[in-house]
Amino acid sequence: MSASIALIDCNNFYVSCERVFNPRLEGRPVVVLSNNDGCVVARSNEVRALGVGMGVPWFQIRALAEQHNIVALSSNYALYADMSNRVMAILSTFSPGQEVYSIDECFLDLGGFEHFGLARYAQTMRHRIRRLLGLPVCVGIASSKTLAKLANHVAKKRAAFDSVCDFGAFEPGELDRLLGEIEVGEVWGVGRRLAPRLGAMGIRTVLDLKRASPARIRQRFSVVLERTVAELNGVPCLGLEEVAPAKQQIVSSRSFGMPVLGLAELQQAVQSYTVRAALKLRRQHALAGAIHVFIRTNPFKQNAPQYSQGITLPLAAPTSDSITLSHGALQGLKTIYRAGFAYTKAGVMLAELIPANRRVPTLFDDPAQLARSTGLMQVLDRINLAYGQGTIKLAGEGLEQHWRMKSGRKSPCYTTRLAEVAVAHAG
DNA sequence: TCTGGGGTCCTAGGACCC
DNA sequence: TCTGGGGTCCTAGGACCC
């Protein structure tokens, strides 16, 4: 028997989360904006119907938004992450094999559950998530991950399927007919660059790609796309990754709320980002062997002088100490900084990560210093966890932080901050 | 005026070695 | 005038994802 893999995906996830706690948004056109209120990163169906694309800069659709009374919200990641955890916990009860693929999607291995009737089983998941959390989801089921993604797409787009589509229930000819109606760009792994190149070869629909010669695809493109062709033919090449692999790099970067010219403010920003990245590093019990810093001006502002530079510095020994990492980052920043530019973004990347318990002692180790550093970081993390991030900062992070990003339309942290829980009034 | 952030994998090409 | 070939390692860049 072939595999049965389900992909469960929340509809318009960020918008749906906002609607759970603010029912007045129901039925209205709503968008959620990226950090800095820059781009549209989630759209309600009403907004999609107006032709607003994903990732469109907010300022470009201001007039349209006004005309149609579109509600725009800053993103509230604490809320979405918490709701995501709840969704994933509910779904995990439907199968022992779960891969959490992103904040709003997961794969479930439904092998062995066929006797329930997979479509019916999926409807149970849907209804439970709707009832317990108030969130709408769609489910796609097929014999490979790539096909399950497509089945999910069909479940979303075609009302006749009632939000659940099981390719396994199709006759072979019937499935091919359907795949012949879907553009190749919808395939997982075919993005905006590959789709036109495939089109030029006469491969325009999913069915065309499914029937393409794997050898030719590999030769013209890569092994990655060759695997996609196999997956479309129901040959699974991508396994379920139930345990998230350890990260190979950790990035913290932000656009500024306003252009920054001086080194002093860049130093504050870079140090803040380093502290954030170091915290993520410690949370996954890892050490970084190198740190990369970058800064850049606004690439969209073509008539302004442009500068974009980064530098990678190896660390004397792998570490997760915020202070040591900050020293490295600031040293790198000094090297790449050039006066006379209006910077709009900076970032820090921790690389060459190793598990903390695999640290190899070096000649220059100072055991007392190492113990002090570990202890200090533990205290710092504990206090910031208890009293909120930023309660204790490094001096260089700055108190004013004029460069901080804009986020003026944020909803309350309904589920993660006691002071901000929703209050129901009776009578 | 105003354009996100955080990841992964693969490939091509250069450096270097024998 | 003539100036190898093959392997490995590393990095930058391109493609993709949400």
Side-chain angles (χ1 to χ4, degrees):
Chain A
M1 183 192 283
S2 66
S4 296
I5 298 167
L7 176 73
I8 301 93
D9 187 316
C10 301
N11 305 355
N12 318 329
F13 182 57
Y14 297 170
V15 168
S16 298
C17 288
E18 297 288 349
R19 280 177 169 168
V20 168
F21 294 94
N22 188 354
R24 271 176 298 191
L25 298 176
E26 210 65 54
R28 295 194 56 186
V30 180
V31 295
V32 173
L33 302 175
S34 63
N35 278 324
N36 236 358
D37 294 343
C39 300
V40 171
V41 292
R43 305 158 292 159
S44 71
N45 291 340
E46 297 79 6
V47 172
R48 288 172 201 245
L50 291 172
V52 175
M54 182 70 167
V56 169
W58 168 234
F59 74 89
Q60 282 178 8
I61 58 158
R62 275 258 169 94
L64 185 81
E66 204 145 310
Q67 193 186 333
H68 291 93
N69 272 318
I70 295 179
V71 179
L73 299 163
S74 303
S75 30
N76 183 346
Y77 288 106
L79 176 66
Y80 312 146
D82 184 66
M83 293 298 277
S84 171
N85 289 337
R86 293 166 196 250
V87 172
M88 299 308 165
I90 292 172
L91 288 172
S92 73
T93 65
F94 285 87
S95 164
Q98 179 186 40
E99 174 186 338
V100 176
Y101 177 67
S102 75
I103 193 162
D104 72 332
E105 297 172 53
C106 81
F107 291 100
L108 286 183
D109 180 0
L110 295 189
F113 291 86
E114 287 83 358
H115 60 282
F116 287 125
L118 293 181
R120 198 144 51 90
Y121 195 48
Q123 289 291 359
T124 312
M125 302 177 195
R126 233 188 101 220
H127 292 136
R128 192 166 302 168
I129 291 172
R130 177 61 113 167
R131 181 162 51 82
L132 296 178
L133 299 177
L135 292 172
V137 305
C138 283
V139 186
I141 303 165
S143 53
S144 70
K145 284 174 143 183
T146 304
L147 282 173
K149 283 280 241 183
L150 275 171
N152 189 284
H153 170 79
V154 173
K156 275 214 172 82
K157 296 288 169 186
R158 306 206 177 197
F161 285 94
D162 193 21
S163 299
V164 171
C165 175
D166 176 11
F167 279 175
F170 281 55
E171 300 297 327
E174 207 185 335
L175 180 57
D176 279 356
R177 210 172 313 124
L178 180 65
L179 297 183
E181 294 172 8
I182 305 174
E183 288 179 20
V184 73
E186 298 294 341
V187 174
W188 192 35
V190 177
R192 63 185 215 285
R193 305 273 176 176
L194 289 184
R197 283 176 62 197
L198 287 165
M201 294 169 62
I203 299 173
R204 295 191 179 83
T205 69
V206 181
L207 184 61
D208 293 337
L209 185 59
K210 176 183 171 182
R211 291 186 172 163
S213 145
R216 186 148 163 265
I217 291 293
R218 178 177 196 145
Q219 177 215 332
R220 296 265 202 115
F221 300 92
S222 69
V223 293
V224 183
L225 199 60
E226 185 192 25
R227 278 198 288 259
T228 300
V229 173
E231 285 248 322
L232 287 177
N233 283 281
V235 180
C237 303
L238 308 169
L240 212 61
E241 292 187 6
E242 299 180 34
V243 182
K247 295 224 190 308
Q248 300 178 37
Q249 57 184 43
I250 290 173
V251 177
S252 173
S253 73
R254 286 278 181 280
S255 297
F256 305 133
M258 57 178 66
V260 166
L261 286 98
L263 179 60
E265 286 193 305
L266 281 179
Q267 285 171 330
Q268 283 186 8
V270 162
Q271 185 153 1
S272 294
Y273 302 160
T274 307
V275 167
R276 266 174 50 93
L279 174 65
K280 289 193 215 173
L281 187 67
R282 293 194 291 272
R283 283 207 180 138
Q284 71 167 53
H285 306 291
L287 306 173
I291 185 165
H292 179 87
V293 195
F294 67 89
I295 50 177
R296 69 158 167 73
T297 52
N298 184 352
F300 298 102
K301 213 167 174 178
Q302 302 203 339
N303 47 2
Q306 296 288 319
Y307 180 70
S308 172
Q309 191 57 267
I311 188 171
T312 303
L313 299 176
L315 296 156
T319 183
S320 62
D321 183 285
S322 294
I323 299 169
T324 311
L325 290 166
S326 290
H327 280 310
L330 292 176
Q331 189 191 328
L333 174 62
K334 222 168 228 171
T335 313
I336 58 176
Y337 174 77
R338 297 285 177 275
F341 293 98
Y343 296 98
T344 54
K345 183 174 182 173
V348 164
M349 182 172 95
L350 304 179
E352 291 172 31
L353 306 193
I354 59 164
N357 57 18
R358 273 195 30 220
R359 184 182 192 283
V360 180
T362 75
L363 267 181
F364 308 102
D365 278 355
D366 173 351
Q369 159 62 21
L370 268 176
R372 260 200 311 277
S373 151
T374 308
L376 178 59
M377 288 304 123
Q378 279 173 0
V379 169
L380 193 133
D381 290 345
R382 231 177 283 147
I383 292 177
N384 282 337
L385 183 66
Y387 298 98
Q389 287 311 318
T391 302
I392 296 195
K393 290 194 219 184
L394 300 191
E397 292 180 61
L399 292 173
E400 297 282 327
Q401 303 195 328
H402 298 294
W403 42 269
R404 275 208 168 272
M405 63 182 187
K406 287 179 287 194
S407 168
R409 307 157 172 273
K410 205 166 107 181
S411 54
C413 292
Y414 298 107
T415 61
T416 53
R417 282 198 182 189
L418 202 50
E420 299 181 11
V421 292
V423 178
H425 297 277

